[in-house]
Amino acid sequence: MKLESKRWLILIASVIINLCIGSGYAWSVFAKPMVALLGATAAAVAMAFTICNSVSPVTMITGGRLVDKFGPKWVIFGGAFLFGGGILLTGYTKSLTWLYLSYGILAGFGMGFIYSCTIANTVKFFPDKRGLVAGIATAGYGTGSIVVAPVANWLITNYGVLAAFKILGISYIIIIAVLSQFIMTAPEGYKPEGWNPPAPTVGSTVTGVDKNWNQMLADPMFYVLLTMLFVGAFSGLMIISQASPIAQEVIKVTPATAALGVSLIALANTSGRVLWGWISDKIGRYAALTVMYIIAGVAVLALTSVSTFGGFVVATMLVGLCFGGVMGIFPALTADMFGPKNNGVNYGIMFSGFAIAGFFGPITAAKVKMASGGYTQAFIIAAALSIIGIILTQFLRYRSKKAMEAKMIAEARM
């Protein structure tokens, strides 16, 4: 099979693998049963989701280095046992400490190892469709809860929450380990037959310069991008982690109806990764991000006055759509800004913005609920952050435009 055809097979395998590790987005389905099981507060139980998302960037960075040594196939294979094993061991939870270690740390580490391989490696196979393919690859991550939320809810209802974790954990180990064998390493500087990269233009995010992680950290624009990722992920992670409890407590729907809402949010999350990835290839990353921040800010602010399930679904799906777009665009944006060569490690470091949001997003919603009895203040905080995202995007857009103009003038004088 030609490499041109193999790259699509690798993309398909990567999407299904990401579907498995993306099941973490269905956490809100497990939240209330785990609160009841452990007799703990919602904030204490939500910390497991927070830990999982906080530790995964650590192994994303490490995973990028291991890929250089062992190749993505075997890093993903090992990650299958970390992630699936963590979910399986969660099925034996009797305390918050065990929950944090199994679901939070072990599954989080496995998630990071796997995600670092499936995203960075796949993007290297598609320099001609970087935004679209980054969106498709990350879409698998968002699809996880579409499939898992109703399945998990059924398993919890019929067998209990601990049995649900055990069944899912074993399934993940098998699926990811098998599909890892279809992954291969992207050749250095790979270009599809007959395709040549376009020259960078004024306003483009593409620098044409490969930077390693040291050089990236020395660039002030890295920290602007990091903050933009944090802002883009904050509202999405806050809603995703608390969607089921919010629907049940504020809109007063049943757990099954709330699980449907979680699946619809995940559908929007998934669609956003592909849609905005494609749009960003057409109109540019910065223009696409600006529109996403505006939509997300308006939608999350609308949640302060929503009283029907239909209104809740529309608003949260819009948040999910934009959150998915941010997560779909940033692997490509990182490669555009700092080059594709070191994108495995570079995006792993950039992903720490997601980890920070993974800590503050869910915990903000839980703390606000505990202090005020509602979520209104949390929604207002998320809307305010979206405004910051718009400002930073325009600042970076302006800086990139000026830098490209200066470069073109210098080249013209040579």
Side-chain angles (χ1 to χ4, degrees):
M1 184 184 294
K2 291 184 177 180
L3 191 56
E4 179 71 21
S5 299
K6 283 184 179 179
R7 68 175 185 160
W8 291 101
L9 179 61
I10 292 166
L11 174 60
I12 292 170
S14 297
V15 167
I16 298 173
I17 290 170
N18 284 348
L19 186 152
C20 292
I21 63 173
S23 62
Y25 285 137
W27 170 253
S28 64
V29 175
F30 297 98
K32 287 182 76 69
M34 291 303 288
V35 167
L37 175 73
L38 298 174
T41 65
V45 170
M47 183 59 69
F49 179 82
T50 297
I51 293 171
C52 183
N53 285 291
S54 297
V55 303
S56 58
V58 176
T59 44
M60 281 187 68
I61 299 168
T62 307
R65 292 186 174 276
L66 290 175
V67 166
D68 293 337
K69 187 173 183 179
F70 300 106
K73 175 190 295 185
W74 297 112
V75 176
I76 293 173
F77 183 81
F81 292 91
L82 280 174
F83 176 74
I87 302 298
L88 172 61
L89 289 174
T90 304
Y92 296 91
T93 297
K94 293 183 180 179
S95 68
L96 284 171
T97 300
W98 184 275
L99 177 65
Y100 296 161
L101 289 173
S102 59
Y103 189 93
I105 294 179
L106 194 59
F109 279 168
M111 185 188 299
F113 275 127
I114 294 168
Y115 197 68
S116 67
C117 297
T118 55
I119 301 302
N121 186 64
T122 305
V123 166
K124 290 179 182 179
F125 274 106
F126 292 88
D128 53 330
K129 301 177 178 66
R130 189 176 286 163
L132 174 62
V133 169
I136 293 173
T138 60
Y141 196 62
T143 304
S145 53
I146 299 177
V147 177
V148 173
V151 172
N153 188 66
W154 184 86
L155 288 172
I156 292 168
T157 301
N158 290 277
Y159 301 104
V161 65
L162 295 183
F165 279 121
K166 293 173 185 176
I167 293 169
L168 291 172
I170 293 171
S171 300
Y172 296 150
I173 292 172
I174 295 171
I175 294 170
I176 298 172
V178 170
L179 289 176
S180 69
Q181 302 308 298
F182 291 90
I183 305 296
M184 64 177 290
T185 305
E188 184 74 26
Y190 171 74
K191 293 190 299 182
E193 187 176 345
W195 179 82
N196 289 305
T201 58
V202 174
S204 169
T205 58
V206 180
T207 65
V209 177
D210 281 303
K211 293 186 177 182
N212 59 32
W213 69 272
N214 284 311
Q215 294 168 323
M216 181 181 73
L217 291 178
D219 189 336
M221 293 304 100
F222 163 76
Y223 301 96
V224 177
L225 275 178
L226 185 75
T227 306
M228 287 165 56
L229 177 55
F230 163 78
V231 168
F234 182 92
S235 58
L237 289 170
M238 183 178 72
I239 296 301
I240 287 167
S241 68
Q242 301 295 319
S244 184
I246 291 172
Q248 292 179 60
E249 296 167 14
V250 178
I251 312 299
K252 308 298 183 184
V253 299
T254 65
T257 302
L260 172 62
V262 171
S263 291
L264 291 173
I265 295 168
L267 177 62
N269 178 3
T270 302
S271 302
R273 293 168 189 246
V274 180
L275 174 65
W276 289 110
W278 175 77
I279 290 175
S280 74
D281 280 339
K282 301 297 182 182
I283 68 173
R285 317 280 187 231
Y286 298 140
L289 278 169
T290 300
V291 176
M292 281 187 278
Y293 286 132
I294 293 172
I295 293 174
V298 171
V300 77
L301 192 61
L303 285 171
T304 60
S305 58
V306 164
S307 59
T308 65
F309 184 64
F312 170 81
V313 167
V314 171
T316 54
M317 284 186 72
L318 285 173
V319 174
L321 187 77
C322 296
F323 167 71
V326 169
M327 300 312 299
I329 283 179
F330 260 83
L333 183 57
T334 305
D336 288 346
M337 183 68 69
F338 305 111
K341 181 178 180 180
N342 304 300
N343 204 41
V345 174
N346 287 351
Y347 185 62
I349 297 172
M350 183 69 71
F351 201 71
S352 59
F354 173 90
I356 298 169
F359 177 84
F360 285 105
I363 209 69
T364 296
K367 292 288 187 182
V368 166
K369 173 63 168 58
M370 186 182 299
S372 66
Y375 296 94
T376 297
Q377 293 176 17
F379 296 149
I380 292 173
I381 291 170
L385 285 174
S386 292
I387 296 175
I388 294 174
I390 295 169
I391 294 171
L392 290 178
T393 302
Q394 298 313 306
F395 169 72
L396 193 58
R397 190 178 196 174
Y398 174 79
R399 284 290 301 268
S400 296
K401 180 180 179 180
K402 289 299 181 182
M404 187 57 65
E405 287 176 344
K407 181 180 178 182
M408 293 174 69
I409 291 172
E411 289 177 349
R413 289 174 176 173
M414 292 177 64

